[in-house]
Amino acid sequence: MTCRTRLRSRRGFTFIELMITLAILGVLALLAVPMAQTAVQREKEKDLRAALMEIREGLDAHKRAADQGRIVLKLGESGYPKTLEDLVQGIPDQKSPQKQMMYFLRRLPRDPMHPDRAAAPADTWGRRSYQSPPDEPAEGADVFDVYSLSEKVGLNGVPYRKW
């Protein structure tokens, strides 16, 4: 064998070297995929917490305004909004001389755990009325609280419905 033929045969990788490289890349991919899935779930959970907090703050602000006499209430009404859309559409302020509108949310956030991206944001949430018990939330004449409709369980072991 001449020197040229030896150089030509040593230029490429052997089959074994390629297989070892592919095996190492496969193991690294197997480790990275679950970590990426957990990061995506953690981000969705963060969005769910923020959306729940935003809506609940709007509901509480509506109740405070009703307690202050800024919203007209009929006998027997709780002071919570009748629909989630009322938080965005606004309600006339009874203490304002021009009856200016009071807005409690700029936009209604959607449930990040809801599978249908085409659904209206208000339809992605479960609603609990003021009259319903906490362990069996049910819709009613008003919206006292919201919860996720997802059946999944969070990274903390608590179902999203219970957040």
Side-chain angles (χ1 to χ4, degrees):
M1 240 190 206
T2 66
C3 191
R4 279 188 163 182
T5 56
R6 275 193 223 139
L7 285 177
R8 281 189 192 156
S9 65
R10 293 195 176 253
R11 281 189 188 168
F13 294 106
T14 66
F15 182 71
I16 302 246
E17 291 171 332
L18 286 173
M19 293 307 292
I20 290 173
T21 304
L22 286 175
I24 291 171
L25 288 174
V27 168
L28 290 174
L30 283 174
L31 294 174
V33 168
M35 291 169 63
Q37 289 173 338
T38 303
V40 167
Q41 184 176 359
R42 188 170 286 129
E43 187 65 28
K44 278 185 156 185
E45 288 183 3
K46 180 180 146 198
D47 293 343
L48 176 61
R49 276 190 198 94
L52 285 170
M53 188 180 305
E54 184 177 353
I55 293 172
R56 287 172 176 161
E57 285 175 0
L59 291 170
D60 292 341
H62 188 284
K63 174 67 171 151
R64 274 192 304 277
D67 290 346
Q68 295 168 356
R70 298 176 70 188
I71 297 174
V72 175
L73 294 178
K74 295 178 183 150
L75 189 61
E77 287 185 337
S78 66
Y80 289 98
K82 291 177 181 47
T83 66
L84 286 174
E85 289 87 355
D86 288 347
L87 298 173
V88 178
Q89 293 169 354
I91 296 179
D93 185 351
Q94 296 303 308
K95 289 193 174 181
S96 168
Q98 295 86 21
K99 303 286 188 238
Q100 291 178 331
M101 298 293 281
M102 290 186 299
Y103 301 98
F104 303 99
L105 291 177
R106 291 184 181 183
R107 65 168 184 79
L108 186 64
R110 61 181 300 106
D111 180 358
M113 301 302 174
H114 197 275
D116 185 9
R117 303 304 291 162
D123 297 335
T124 63
W125 297 103
R127 295 167 206 77
R128 175 180 163 216
S129 74
Y130 184 72
Q131 299 297 327
S132 72
D135 53 342
E136 289 294 324
E139 290 189 35
D142 57 14
V143 181
F144 171 70
D145 195 13
V146 292
Y147 57 91
S148 178
L149 295 172
S150 176
E151 298 292 332
K152 295 180 182 175
V153 176
L155 292 172
N156 60 0
V158 178
Y160 294 131
R161 295 178 72 93
K162 304 267 185 204
W163 284 26

